[in-house]
Amino acid sequence: MKKANGIVLDKPDKPSYDSPASFRVIVLLQTVSKILERVVTSHLSLTARTLKLVHSNECGSLPALSSFDAAISLVDTARTLQRPRLRVSTLFLDIKGGFDNVNASILCSSLKKAVVPHNMIS
């Protein structure tokens, strides 16, 4: 279903067509596969929510749950908690790529010195 057709077009007014930069490639995907992919994605998303396979705070990559929705929810929660004069803080972590270039042993020793709980260091 993911077969694509490519069409090579000449770019107008080029002095020479000896270079690949003198051409434009247009890729045509089959419309049926695009429609089917959207339908399946929508169905899987709905099923995952219905069966509670997705955490209620999960945002991004789900229809109607974008980063903007997450930010609005965070602001609303913070303001609600501030009304009875509670202190509110947030912590944002990008764990996936955040420590690619960090020496793990140095990071662990720094966290231990900062008295971070062992389970979080692990």
Side-chain angles (χ1 to χ4, degrees):
M1 294 298 286
K2 280 289 190 179
K3 186 177 179 181
N5 297 320
I7 298 174
V8 180
L9 301 174
D10 300 342
K11 289 183 180 177
D13 303 323
K14 290 288 181 177
S16 170
Y17 289 95
D18 296 336
S19 167
S22 301
F23 300 95
R24 178 179 293 125
V25 178
I26 297 177
V27 178
L28 304 171
L29 293 173
Q30 294 179 357
T31 306
V32 174
S33 70
K34 288 181 181 179
I35 294 170
L36 183 60
E37 185 176 344
R38 271 215 184 130
V39 169
V40 170
T41 301
S42 175
H43 180 71
L44 287 175
S45 175
L46 179 64
T47 302
R49 285 188 202 171
T50 303
L51 296 175
K52 298 188 180 185
L53 299 175
V54 179
H55 192 275
S56 61
N57 292 336
E58 180 68 35
C59 290
S61 74
L62 293 173
L65 290 174
S66 66
S67 299
F68 181 77
D69 296 314
I72 294 295
S73 175
L74 175 64
V75 169
D76 179 64
T77 301
R79 287 185 178 158
T80 300
L81 293 172
Q82 286 173 336
R83 285 189 192 113
R85 303 240 182 243
L86 294 174
R87 291 185 179 177
V88 179
S89 65
T90 59
L91 173 66
F92 298 96
L93 297 173
D94 182 7
I95 302 287
K96 187 175 182 181
F99 301 103
D100 290 346
N101 299 314
V102 174
N103 184 320
S105 60
I106 294 173
L107 176 62
C108 288
S109 66
S110 298
L111 292 172
K112 286 176 186 173
K113 286 177 187 174
V115 195
V116 173
H118 178 71
N119 62 338
M120 290 186 72
I121 295 172
S122 297

